[in-house]
Amino acid sequence: MNAERTSSAKDASAGGNGTLNSHCPTGPIETRWDKHRFDMKLINPANKRKYNVIVVGSGLAGAAASATMGELGYNVDCFCYQDSPRRAHSIAAQGGINAAKNYQNDGDSVFRLFYDTVKGGDYRARESNVYRLAQVSVNIIDQCAAQGVPFAREYGGLLANRSFGGAQVSRTFYARGQTGQQLLLGAYQALERQIATGKVTMHPRTEMLELIVVDGRARGIVTRDMVSGEIKTHVADCVVLATGGYGNAFYLSTNAKGCNAMAIWRAHRKGAFLANPCFTQIHPTCIPVKGKYQSKLTLMSESLRNDGRVWVPKYEDDIGKAPGDIPEEERDYYLERRYPAFGNLVPRDVASRAAKAVCDEGRGVGSTGLGVYLDFEEAVGRLGKQAVSERYGNLFDMYHHITDEDPYAVPMRIFPAVHYTMGGLWVDYNLMSNLPGLFVLGEANFSDHGANRLGASALMQGLADGYFVAPSTVANYLATVTPGAVDKGHEDVKAARSTVKERVSKLLGVGGKRSPDSFHRELGLLCWDKCGMARSESGLKDALEKIPALREEFWENVRVMGTGEQFNQELEKAGRVADFLEFSELMVRDALNREESCGGHFREEHATEEGEAKRNDEDFCYVAAWEHGGDGNEPKLHKEALNYEYCKLTQRSYK
Amino acid sequence: MKLKVHVWRQANASSKGKFETHEVSDISPDMSFLEMLDVLNEELVDHEKEPVAFDHDCREGICGTCSLVINGEAHGPQRAATTCQLHMRKFDDGDEIWVEPFRAGAFPVIRDLVVDRKAFDRIIQAGGFITARTGSACDANEIPVSKEIADRAMDAAACIGCGACVAACPNASAMLFTAAKVRHLNMMPQGQPEREVRVRNMVSQMDAEGFGACSNHFECEAACPKEISVEFIAEMNREFLGAMVKADNTVPKRG
Ligand code: FES
């Protein structure tokens, strides 16, 4: 069955010799999406209601896709592990959403947003996809404004913009420091409207535990009702995963506690290729770790770097001193020093590595030595406290709550933390995986950000995929299949259900001594040490030995209290940790394979004399898409070559 | 710090609950309240006991998942903060802490401290949206919105839907939650066409879910982690009355 699955998957996307077909349209890049939309098949309005679509995840991508496809007339079942779709982690995004509106008349354009995104991603994203993203960015803002999203406005009533994350133009739209919340609520409200009409059925507190594949096509999912424990199968004509990233493999991250990789990992095990898992984004401005009990990390919006200045003491012996006692000339504003052109606004990966470098030199501040100052003294002097508080008041309050320190009086202390994952399931231009009928949207796919995501681009991608791309490309796929071809009685559906049941009882039956959390913490620390901000061959090889050993211990020594037939958070955690224990091995393997430094992936062996990243376009200008090899076997690498017709491959320089 | 924690345990919706008392030690003042519960749960698991179920997700005060009534206050003693943003430095060594679920008829207990808040989603379904078909929107700058309106709409839209307002209200009223959404959308120019039907339907749904009436205790505002103002309730009441009068006079009633 394995062999059969692989061969039919290959028919769809993978050619011989490990090359992959992205199905990108040809012709001038500006016309590709329009041409493709025209070429795609449509479904007659009367026939749409014959098709069932499963959407897993209710964040920006999932909620937008469910609402839009429901509105178009398909029958949609949407699943989320939260108690309400409004709580998906997109809600936590603070800073904003990019769009090439050029409302500021400062020289922005679709082409410039496209170019910035490809360059910012360190030339590891597909040009056609990124161009489309920049194109539909303008429709997103229109759509959200029409939904009543209370975007920030200028006095004249027009939309306000700010420059974000080092962009040379002001193209970021925002709603105070709660942009993700407001965009998600817009999508959530559109979704609830469809739920009320009956076109979307919502399944909250329901977790996907398996993907159902029949004859090489994604046909449904197996879920666990998190309240009653009931294991159920759901079949459909296609499956859309919008389940977010895998940042919680590191245990400590800015993700919500529930974020997990189970859906994408289950799909991977069933034949979907996983692409570039080593591309993880470490965000430079997070609140440092305080103690062993720490359960998550909190991000302070990147917008703070617009006015805050980053520094550490020049001399190691000053690290214990109160920051106010360190005179100006004994401070090292290391970003301004190393990157005079961009200063404090260098991209995230560069800022994070620079912070690590000064801490490695022993100049980090705070009790753990893992922190740098983000100082607003100059900004308060220049703009006044009032103006600073208008811009960042809620962020300052949040910092104050958590650390008990007043950032108006003492500089903030920040440190990088895992924030976003650029890697994910491999998809073609249609956002379809190599497994036909499986679509992957938002952070769960690998497609648009290359090796590094620019600030304010995650919200853009989630909504682009959900509102504008998937609804057309899913239709194009559905037009090729007979609706309702598989029912719940099918052998493969029943088999998927029994696999899940067995797995749940296995987890409950181990009867060991350690909690799922204790394994998760240990795995997270290992990933952070060996596969975090800097990676080396020896460290990665060490992790490749340790992860399987930890996994083995997990299956012998995990203790999951309670039963499967009840609300059981320990069981939920155990299942997610079990998958992180498999997933992280692939992430490390990918990092070992990629013998270059590029975006969020920094290999110590591949750096310039000054310690800057050294990309290797000669050998690594490709997407690494991994095929699961079956338990105990090595995964197989497929390469999708990246061709740059419009962007010139250059070494990024922010000097 | 060492603390005595009395925590509500209830196996499921149909069983009777009771308080259970546990001692926790080695609590750092820098821990969040939920991290203190994590420590308690690790200990329970060590002793082969079932850990306490509680809702949480983002742990940064924005998703609205965490709940808990702590020493009689929804989200605990700190103003303008959710439970996940409450830190143990607000407590003293040797304190006794009482932890309960958000209690309201419309929020049935699922297990221990976890409650079902789906009633809020149904209030949104009744009208908490602006109908804007995907792809049909005009250019975003074609409809200017004054900064004043946008800012005030944002004040209302900041609601995280946690339900603390309901838990804090002696009548378990959902007026603050409903008013925040009604006012956010009804203030925006884009929300005008549906403004009357929105307020009528959302208020009726709120009543149908079994939430109580508002008798101006204003406990909701005090408990709200986002400091949503009770002024929105007064504004919604005015809109509701107007919309009902108009509905009686001009619009043929729907079945
Ligand atoms: S856990 Fe998200 S608001 Fe508290």
Side-chain angles (χ1 to χ4, degrees):
Chain A
M1 176 172 165
N2 239 17
E4 191 187 299
R5 177 254 296 157
T6 314
S7 71
S8 53
K10 271 203 180 127
D11 291 343
S13 287
N17 303 328
T19 53
L20 279 166
N21 185 348
S22 66
H23 297 122
C24 286
T26 50
I29 199 160
E30 314 77 55
T31 61
R32 284 181 196 168
W33 177 232
D34 283 344
K35 177 173 173 286
H36 191 62
R37 279 201 298 173
F38 181 74
D39 290 343
M40 281 192 293
K41 295 181 196 74
L42 298 174
I43 297 175
N44 169 320
N47 282 338
K48 287 196 178 111
R49 64 189 150 80
K50 296 184 184 147
Y51 289 94
N52 294 306
V53 176
I54 283 174
V55 178
V56 188
S58 68
L60 288 179
S66 300
T68 303
M69 289 191 286
E71 194 172 72
L72 285 167
Y74 304 104
N75 306 310
V76 180
D77 279 275
C78 180
F79 298 80
C80 70
Y81 74 76
Q82 297 88 346
D83 69 330
S84 161
R86 68 177 290 147
R87 309 209 194 280
H89 194 57
S90 306
I91 205 159
Q94 299 166 356
I97 177 164
N98 288 330
K101 281 286 199 187
N102 193 30
Y103 281 162
Q104 304 301 323
N105 195 27
D106 56 0
D108 199 13
S109 63
V110 166
F111 196 85
R112 188 177 295 279
L113 175 55
F114 152 71
Y115 206 100
D116 286 357
T117 307
V118 171
K119 180 183 175 207
D122 222 356
Y123 304 96
R124 292 295 176 265
R126 214 185 262 151
E127 278 191 335
S128 298
N129 284 55
V130 178
Y131 194 89
R132 175 179 63 192
L133 175 68
Q135 258 177 326
V136 300
S137 71
V138 300
N139 305 105
I140 295 172
I141 300 304
D142 298 341
Q143 179 63 28
C144 297
Q147 290 169 343
V149 169
F151 283 120
R153 300 272 167 172
E154 296 165 355
Y155 282 100
L158 302 180
L159 287 153
N161 292 110
R162 59 183 169 206
S163 146
F164 198 78
Q168 309 286 60
V169 292
S170 290
R171 62 161 76 101
T172 304
F173 295 77
Y174 60 101
R176 294 208 184 127
Q178 291 116 283
T179 317
Q181 178 198 28
Q182 293 310 314
L183 297 178
L184 182 64
L185 292 181
Y188 156 77
Q189 288 160 199
L191 172 62
E192 291 295 335
R193 182 165 77 88
Q194 293 308 317
I195 294 170
T197 69
K199 286 313 290 182
V200 178
T201 307
M202 190 67 218
H203 307 259
R205 292 200 198 268
T206 307
E207 184 152 59
M208 166 183 164
L209 299 187
E210 192 57 280
L211 179 74
I212 298 172
V213 179
V214 179
D215 296 332
R217 287 172 189 271
R219 285 294 192 178
I221 60 173
V222 185
T223 59
R224 178 171 182 275
D225 177 324
M226 293 156 74
V227 175
S228 69
E230 194 188 350
I231 307 284
K232 261 192 175 171
T233 51
H234 308 263
V235 294
D237 300 301
C238 74
V239 175
V240 179
L241 298 185
T243 53
Y246 48 83
N248 273 350
F250 293 82
Y251 186 70
L252 287 182
S253 82
T254 65
N255 286 3
K257 293 294 286 174
C259 296
N260 67 82
M262 193 182 284
I264 61 169
W265 187 252
R266 293 287 122 195
H268 175 62
R269 290 183 56 101
K270 283 291 180 85
F273 297 171
L274 231 159
N276 299 338
C278 79
F279 290 157
T280 52
Q281 180 164 81
I282 318 271
H283 196 290
T285 53
C286 301
I287 299 179
V289 175
K290 275 255 165 95
K292 274 230 225 35
Y293 51 82
Q294 189 99 27
S295 60
K296 80 150 270 159
L297 295 170
T298 303
L299 173 83
M300 302 302 297
S301 167
E302 179 154 46
S303 61
L304 291 168
R305 286 198 281 144
N306 284 343
D307 288 303
R309 297 179 73 197
V310 178
W311 65 277
V312 291
K314 234 182 215 162
Y315 309 108
E316 210 183 314
D317 4 323
D318 283 351
I319 54 167
K321 278 195 191 158
D325 293 344
I326 303 176
E328 196 58 27
E329 58 287 357
E330 282 165 29
R331 298 176 175 192
D332 179 12
Y333 294 92
Y334 58 87
L335 289 176
E336 297 168 28
R337 172 173 58 78
R338 284 178 66 178
Y339 308 100
F342 280 69
N344 295 297
L345 293 174
V346 289
R348 294 176 172 178
D349 54 333
V350 178
S352 293
R353 274 198 299 280
K356 181 183 187 306
V358 293
C359 293
D360 286 350
E361 287 164 29
R363 295 192 288 141
V365 297
S367 57
T368 56
L370 296 175
V372 300
Y373 291 125
L374 178 62
D375 198 331
F376 288 86
E377 199 183 333
E378 184 268 342
V380 170
R382 175 165 45 91
L383 305 161
K385 190 173 167 181
Q386 175 69 24
V388 170
S389 127
E390 258 170 37
R391 277 184 208 175
Y392 309 111
N394 61 332
L395 298 169
F396 278 38
D397 290 348
M398 184 160 96
Y399 183 86
H400 199 159
H401 266 320
I402 295 175
T403 62
D404 209 22
E405 285 175 4
D406 175 11
Y408 292 106
V410 283
M412 287 184 179
R413 272 178 297 111
I414 53 162
F415 198 65
V418 174
H419 175 57
Y420 186 89
T421 54
M422 283 74 67
L425 289 177
W426 184 88
V427 288
D428 64 7
Y429 187 72
N430 294 313
L431 304 183
M432 188 164 87
S433 134
N434 59 299
L435 208 55
L438 180 70
F439 290 80
V440 192
L441 321 185
E443 192 180 350
N445 74 28
F446 87 104
S447 84
D448 294 356
H449 307 296
N452 175 53
R453 179 175 65 72
L454 291 180
S457 285
L459 302 182
M460 171 172 71
Q461 188 215 342
L463 290 180
D465 290 1
Y467 283 132
F468 297 107
V469 182
S472 332
T473 60
V474 166
N476 182 48
Y477 171 77
L478 290 177
T480 65
V481 300
T482 320
V486 170
D487 66 30
K488 287 191 184 179
H490 194 285
E491 282 308 304
D492 293 350
V493 178
K494 287 199 245 166
R497 184 166 186 268
S498 0
T499 323
V500 167
K501 286 203 132 180
E502 275 162 34
R503 193 173 143 87
V504 170
S505 15
K506 198 171 154 202
L507 281 168
L508 287 160
V510 176
K513 290 205 164 49
R514 288 181 62 181
S515 69
D517 267 345
S518 80
F519 283 99
H520 198 176
R521 277 176 206 271
E522 188 174 338
L523 173 70
L525 208 57
L526 187 63
C527 291
W528 179 247
D529 282 349
K530 311 289 182 190
C531 198
M533 273 188 284
R535 299 143 181 202
S536 69
E537 183 179 342
S538 62
L540 292 166
K541 284 192 168 152
D542 190 31
L544 276 187
E545 308 252 302
K546 287 189 170 137
I547 293 171
L550 187 64
R551 190 165 62 226
E552 212 167 289
E553 194 200 334
F554 174 90
W555 285 106
E556 279 160 12
N557 198 23
V558 72
R559 171 182 288 173
V560 184
M561 297 303 302
T563 69
E565 290 78 40
Q566 66 176 65
F567 186 86
N568 189 339
Q569 291 171 317
E570 290 294 288
L571 179 61
E572 293 160 19
K573 285 192 231 172
R576 296 167 191 167
V577 176
D579 278 359
F580 277 135
L581 281 162
E582 293 183 15
F583 169 84
S584 53
E585 188 178 337
L586 185 65
M587 174 171 75
V588 169
R589 195 176 293 279
D590 185 46
L592 187 62
N593 171 68
R594 194 166 279 278
E595 292 270 3
E596 63 166 348
S597 291
C598 148
H601 170 66
F602 186 77
R603 282 286 299 270
E604 285 168 357
E605 299 89 344
H606 304 287
T608 63
E609 305 247 298
E610 299 106 52
E612 303 295 340
K614 220 159 86 189
R615 223 175 51 219
N616 177 353
D617 293 330
E618 197 72 9
D619 303 313
F620 289 94
C621 199
Y622 66 75
V623 175
W626 298 90
E627 177 181 356
H628 191 63
D631 286 324
N633 298 323
E634 294 215 348
K636 188 171 166 220
L637 176 63
H638 300 261
K639 297 177 184 175
E640 180 199 333
L642 292 166
N643 301 313
Y644 290 95
E645 296 171 65
Y646 292 86
C647 299
K648 205 168 135 260
L649 283 159
T650 51
Q651 208 56 254
R652 287 190 306 162
S653 170
Y654 297 94
K655 295 255 173 206
Chain B
M1 293 197 279
K2 219 171 154 164
L3 303 160
K4 194 180 254 183
V5 188
H6 307 279
V7 51
W8 186 260
R9 304 301 306 257
Q10 183 172 338
N12 52 49
S14 51
S15 65
K16 259 185 87 179
K18 62 169 185 343
F19 281 102
E20 201 176 82
T21 303
H22 296 280
E23 304 251 340
V24 284
S25 43
D26 283 338
I27 298 302
S28 148
D30 286 332
M31 275 182 192
S32 73
F33 195 84
L34 297 184
E35 284 166 347
M36 184 275 290
L37 289 180
D38 290 343
V39 169
L40 169 63
N41 276 345
E42 279 280 326
E43 265 168 40
L44 289 172
V45 171
D46 271 351
H47 292 94
E48 293 189 64
K49 293 205 182 91
E50 282 197 48
V52 182
F54 62 92
D55 260 331
H56 64 99
D57 205 20
C58 75
R59 295 201 176 193
E60 53 184 271
I62 191 71
C63 72
T65 310
C66 65
S67 50
L68 306 189
V69 171
I70 301 164
N71 290 342
E73 290 182 273
H75 288 307
Q78 185 165 327
R79 254 196 93 86
T82 53
T83 292
C84 61
Q85 293 173 297
L86 171 66
H87 284 76
M88 296 312 291
R89 63 180 84 93
K90 292 277 165 201
F91 299 89
D92 294 314
D93 189 33
D95 272 1
E96 281 192 47
I97 304 177
W98 298 80
V99 192
E100 298 167 74
F102 278 0
R103 295 191 194 275
F107 288 169
V109 171
I110 289 175
R111 183 181 177 85
D112 296 343
L113 304 169
V114 177
V115 299
D116 182 344
R117 291 170 284 194
K118 285 206 282 292
F120 271 11
D121 292 325
R122 291 188 291 264
I123 294 176
I124 300 296
Q125 279 163 37
F129 49 78
I130 289 172
T131 301
R133 197 174 54 248
T134 303
S136 65
C138 63
D139 184 88
N141 260 350
E142 251 172 58
I143 304 173
V145 182
S146 79
K147 183 169 184 319
E148 207 187 330
I149 296 281
D151 283 349
R152 202 162 140 70
M154 182 64 215
D155 290 341
C159 168
I160 58 173
C162 63
C165 46
V166 175
C169 173
N171 310 332
S173 163
M175 285 291 258
L176 192 60
F177 167 79
T178 310
K181 188 45 66 186
V182 166
R183 288 303 296 145
H184 156 213
L185 298 175
N186 282 10
M187 261 185 272
M188 298 293 284
Q190 292 87 349
Q192 296 314 305
E194 292 161 301
R195 105 183 246 164
E196 283 162 6
V197 62
R198 173 177 305 118
V199 68
R200 279 202 304 271
N201 289 353
M202 288 180 73
V203 170
S204 322
Q205 187 63 34
M206 179 184 80
D207 293 340
E209 295 290 345
F211 291 106
C214 170
S215 45
N216 301 331
H217 287 268
F218 302 148
E219 294 291 338
C220 51
E221 185 186 85
C224 177
K226 298 297 152 185
E227 302 184 287
I228 308 279
S229 162
V230 290
E231 280 171 28
F232 293 125
I233 296 182
E235 292 170 18
M236 177 176 78
N237 279 336
R238 278 197 295 276
E239 283 200 52
F240 181 68
L241 283 177
M244 290 310 278
V245 169
K246 237 172 132 184
D248 277 348
N249 293 340
T250 59
V251 185
K253 273 198 187 152
R254 267 194 257 167

